[in-house]
Amino acid sequence: MHHWIVQFNNISLNMDTLVVMWSCMLFLVVIAYLMTRNLSLVPNKMQLVGEKMIGFFWGLTDSMVGEKGRKHVPLAASLFIFILIANLSGQLPLRIFHLKEGEFASPTNDINLTAALAVIVLVYYIAVGIKAKGIRFIYHGFNFNGIILTLVDLLEMFTRPLSLSIRLFANILAGEILVSMVLGAVAFILPIPVMLFEILVAFIQAFVFMMLTLAYISSSINEEH
């Protein structure tokens, strides 16, 4: 799949995924505003949906991190909801808008976005780990065992975001390529089961990304036994 590339001060921008990404962000901002604009003790339908969603994320963080992990709900919830919407956007009929090159597609089929999300997770869990455990979160002492453990931990820290970004990017890109191939071969009927399967994949990939993020945060702030 080719991207709609625009050159800006010697920087190449994938405008197709950028446009869809900003559209997803704008959609989420509008939904968040509608859910929170008239908060009351007797919630309306939008507020009730928001409260149920927060309760769901609280339950996940309690089981993965513990009650002290609720402060990390904003990150986990934001990642899950944004990735889910971004994944699903690739299943919308955006191909009716014809571009000179490339086509509108899910922003998570762009390795630049998934890598950026993974770096955010990396910086976040290292920061909370150092805050919770101090320098011993990374440094295990100036002896043979300590140096080996430190090097292994550093290697693991920087391979985690790589696996996060590639897993999400590869699954979404492969799904969109598969749908495009089936559309080209059998028109409209056969792609429907494939597209339904890709909707399931969109949920699973967003959920896996969030759960791995919570697992990394848990390992960084909780004591090992």
Side-chain angles (χ1 to χ4, degrees):
M1 297 177 68
H2 299 288
H3 289 288
W4 168 27
I5 300 176
V6 174
Q7 296 290 334
F8 179 75
N9 290 338
N10 297 322
I11 299 175
S12 298
L13 302 176
N14 295 339
M15 291 303 298
D16 47 356
T17 50
L18 277 175
V19 169
V20 180
M21 180 188 72
W22 282 99
S23 299
C24 293
M25 293 169 63
L26 178 61
F27 172 76
L28 292 176
V29 168
V30 171
I31 293 298
Y33 171 75
L34 293 176
M35 285 183 173
T36 59
R37 63 174 179 168
N38 292 315
L39 297 178
S40 64
L41 293 177
V42 181
N44 55 32
K45 292 182 180 179
M46 291 293 291
Q47 182 181 338
L48 184 61
V49 171
E51 290 179 356
K52 292 293 184 182
M53 291 173 61
I54 294 300
F56 169 74
F57 292 116
W58 274 7
L60 281 177
T61 54
D62 286 352
S63 62
M64 293 285 296
V65 186
E67 289 191 8
K68 61 182 179 181
R70 289 187 178 182
K71 66 177 72 173
H72 308 296
V73 165
L75 175 70
S78 297
L79 285 172
F80 176 80
I81 296 172
F82 172 73
I83 293 173
L84 175 61
I85 298 300
N87 291 347
L88 292 176
S89 67
Q91 303 304 317
L92 296 176
L94 298 175
R95 295 176 178 82
I96 63 176
F97 300 100
H98 297 289
L99 304 175
K100 292 183 178 180
E101 59 176 314
E103 61 184 19
F104 289 120
S106 168
T108 46
N109 84 358
D110 189 336
I111 190 65
N112 297 293
L113 175 62
T114 59
L117 293 174
V119 169
I120 290 172
V121 173
L122 170 68
V123 172
Y124 186 89
Y125 85 78
I126 289 178
V128 298
I130 293 175
K131 182 178 179 181
K133 299 179 180 178
I135 193 62
R136 67 187 177 91
F137 173 65
I138 299 175
Y139 178 64
H140 298 284
F142 191 70
N143 53 59
F144 180 78
N145 290 336
I147 292 173
I148 295 299
L149 286 174
T150 299
L151 292 176
V152 170
D153 282 352
L154 289 174
L155 178 61
E156 185 180 19
M157 285 178 188
F158 288 98
T159 54
R160 281 174 173 177
L162 180 64
S163 64
L164 275 177
S165 60
I166 292 178
R167 180 188 295 108
L168 179 58
F169 161 73
N171 278 280
I172 300 306
L173 178 61
E176 292 196 358
I177 291 175
L178 179 60
V179 171
S180 298
M181 291 174 60
V182 177
L183 276 171
V186 199
F188 298 102
I189 303 301
L190 188 59
I192 293 177
V194 179
M195 295 177 71
L196 292 175
F197 175 74
E198 286 306 313
I199 291 175
L200 176 62
V201 171
F203 277 90
I204 292 174
Q205 290 303 315
F207 188 75
V208 168
F209 197 102
M210 178 192 65
M211 293 298 286
L212 288 175
T213 299
L214 289 176
Y216 298 158
I217 293 172
S218 177
S219 67
S220 67
I221 65 176
N222 293 324
E223 296 294 336
E224 298 180 357
H225 299 284

